[in-house]
């Protein structure tokens, strides 16, 4: 069996471990420790210059690579980098609050998933925010860690999680990070480019009766999204659910115009469960593809 076959099987195992066990406690999570370390790196290196941000991102990638090499196991690295179970759990918890009309509880929980201001959101706005987060973060927390684990083993998965974490920390477009966070944000765009399209392709494969509708939504709506990757995932999910996502929103009190994605009606609270179910099936399909790649490799290499 080749190394690629081994890493594909390890990536599949890592997703399964995350599905069964979930994330480690926050006070013992390697990603949380990485975030603390990068907070200290930011304090040491911050300057309102892109070059300072390049140095910050370089340190983060190096830490991720070293951590992945120390872990050695692709399955372990992918399990640590993945967070699909937690993503779906939090989304369902918010969905349950919205369905029963407890909007204050839903708004209080929403910042754990999205950065937009929740105060003015009604039940449909909360549903849209959750569904968009489930779509985008299914790339970040499921497909991308598995993809990079399959491609580059434990270091690949660990470096990906380092890049994604740095983007979450400094990749925002505000006065402090517009220059300093540029390198981390661009790295995250590159790292998610293929995984986002794999996610969209899996949504199409799982909804063959709606395949044309989903492909059309991706082609027409995704390019207008400010993210080169999130638009693919969100447009695919919008069309698969026959709902319209996107539209104007507010971040940190600043209004932002976003394109509409999909041509259906606006989401209802019950659509959150449907989105979570879709994300769950995509993950299962990803595990199946990785195992299939491993089996093919075994056959080709003669066992």
């Amino acid at each position: 069996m080749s190394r690629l076959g081994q890493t594909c099987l390890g990536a599949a195992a890592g997703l399964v471990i995350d599905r069964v066990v979930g994330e480690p406690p926050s006070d013992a999570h390697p990603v949380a420790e990485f975030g603390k370390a990068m907070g200290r790196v930011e304090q040491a290196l911050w300057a309102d210059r892109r070059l300072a941000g390049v140095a910050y991102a370089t340190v983060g990638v190096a830490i991720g690579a070293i951590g992945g090499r120390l872990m050695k196991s692709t399955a372990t690295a992918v399990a640590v980098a993945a967070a699909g179970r937690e993503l779906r759990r939090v989304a369902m918890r918010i969905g349950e609050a919205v369905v029963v009309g407890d909007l204050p509880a839903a708004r209080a929980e929403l910042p754990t998933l999205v950065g937009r201001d929740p105060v003015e959101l009604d039940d449909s706005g909360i549903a849209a925010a959750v569904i968009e987060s489930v779509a985008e973060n299914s790339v970040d927390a499921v497909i991308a860690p598995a993809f990079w684990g399959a491609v580059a083993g434990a270091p690949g998965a660990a470096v990906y999680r380092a890049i994604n974490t740095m983007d979450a920390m400094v990749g925002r477009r505000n006065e402090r990070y517009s220059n300093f966070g540029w390198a981390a944000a661009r790295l995250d765009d590159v790292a998610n480019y293929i995984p986002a399209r794999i996610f969209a392709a899996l949504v199409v494969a799982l909804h063959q009766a709606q395949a044309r509708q989903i492909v059309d939504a991706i082609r027409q709506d995704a390019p207008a999204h400010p993210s080169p990757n999130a638009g693919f995932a969100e447009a695919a999910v919008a069309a698969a659910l026959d709902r319209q996502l996107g539209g104007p929103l507010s971040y940190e009190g600043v209004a932002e115009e976003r394109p509409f994605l999909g041509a259906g009606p606006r989401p209802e609270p019950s659509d959150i469960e449907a989105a979570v179910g879709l994300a769950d099936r995509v993950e299962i399909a990803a595990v199946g593809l990785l195992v299939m790649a491993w089996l093919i490799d075994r056959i080709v290499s003669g066992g």
Side-chain angles (χ1 to χ4, degrees):
M1 181 169 56
S2 73
R3 183 176 182 277
L4 180 61
Q6 293 174 338
T7 55
C8 284
L9 183 62
L15 290 183
V16 172
I17 292 169
D18 177 64
R19 288 180 67 87
V20 174
V21 179
E23 294 194 80
S26 58
D27 58 354
H29 201 305
V31 176
E33 293 303 313
F34 173 80
K36 293 176 185 177
M38 293 312 296
R40 293 191 288 272
V41 173
E42 179 185 344
Q43 289 179 352
L45 296 179
W46 186 90
D48 191 18
R49 297 193 304 272
R50 287 186 176 183
L51 187 60
V54 169
Y56 169 89
T58 300
V59 172
V61 167
I63 292 173
I66 293 169
R69 288 194 176 278
L70 290 175
M71 277 190 279
K72 297 182 180 179
S73 165
T74 300
T76 300
V78 171
V80 169
R85 172 172 167 158
E86 181 67 9
L87 168 66
R88 295 186 294 270
R89 185 186 69 82
V90 173
M92 282 301 299
R93 190 165 65 210
I94 298 173
E96 290 165 1
V98 179
V99 166
V100 300
D102 191 354
L103 297 190
R107 292 187 184 113
E109 186 79 25
L110 195 61
T112 61
L113 283 185
V114 299
R116 72 191 61 181
D117 302 329
V119 177
E120 302 296 329
L121 296 179
D122 59 11
D123 57 355
S124 179
I126 294 172
V130 172
I131 294 169
E132 290 166 25
S133 177
V134 167
E136 179 180 2
N137 288 305
S138 288
V139 176
D140 295 356
V142 177
I143 302 300
F147 172 79
W148 288 110
V151 168
V159 167
Y160 170 75
R161 180 48 61 200
I163 291 170
N164 190 247
T165 302
M166 289 189 291
D167 178 60
M169 294 177 68
V170 305
R172 299 184 294 277
R173 299 173 184 173
N174 58 26
E175 184 176 353
R176 178 174 175 82
Y177 294 125
S178 60
N179 286 318
F180 184 77
W182 175 85
R186 297 295 76 74
L187 275 176
D188 189 70
D189 288 342
V190 172
N192 280 308
Y193 188 86
I194 295 175
R197 285 145 183 83
I198 291 173
F199 175 85
L202 289 173
V203 173
V204 172
L206 292 170
H207 297 80
Q208 294 185 20
Q210 300 161 272
R212 177 62 65 84
Q213 175 181 332
I214 298 170
V215 170
D216 287 346
I218 293 170
R219 287 176 175 171
Q220 295 169 11
D221 301 336
H225 197 284
S227 165
N229 302 316
F232 271 74
E234 293 175 19
V237 169
L241 299 179
D242 194 26
R243 292 291 183 265
Q244 183 190 69
L245 301 176
L249 49 79
S250 174
Y251 278 104
E252 300 177 351
V254 179
E256 184 174 330
E257 290 295 324
R258 289 285 182 91
F260 289 104
L261 307 167
R266 295 298 290 178
E268 299 177 358
S270 60
D271 293 321
I272 294 176
E273 183 176 3
V276 169
L278 169 56
D280 189 59
R281 294 192 298 276
V282 166
E283 183 178 289
I284 292 170
V287 171
L289 282 177
L290 289 165
V291 171
M292 186 181 301
W294 167 70
L295 287 172
I296 292 171
D297 178 76
R298 285 199 65 185
I299 293 169
V300 171
S301 62

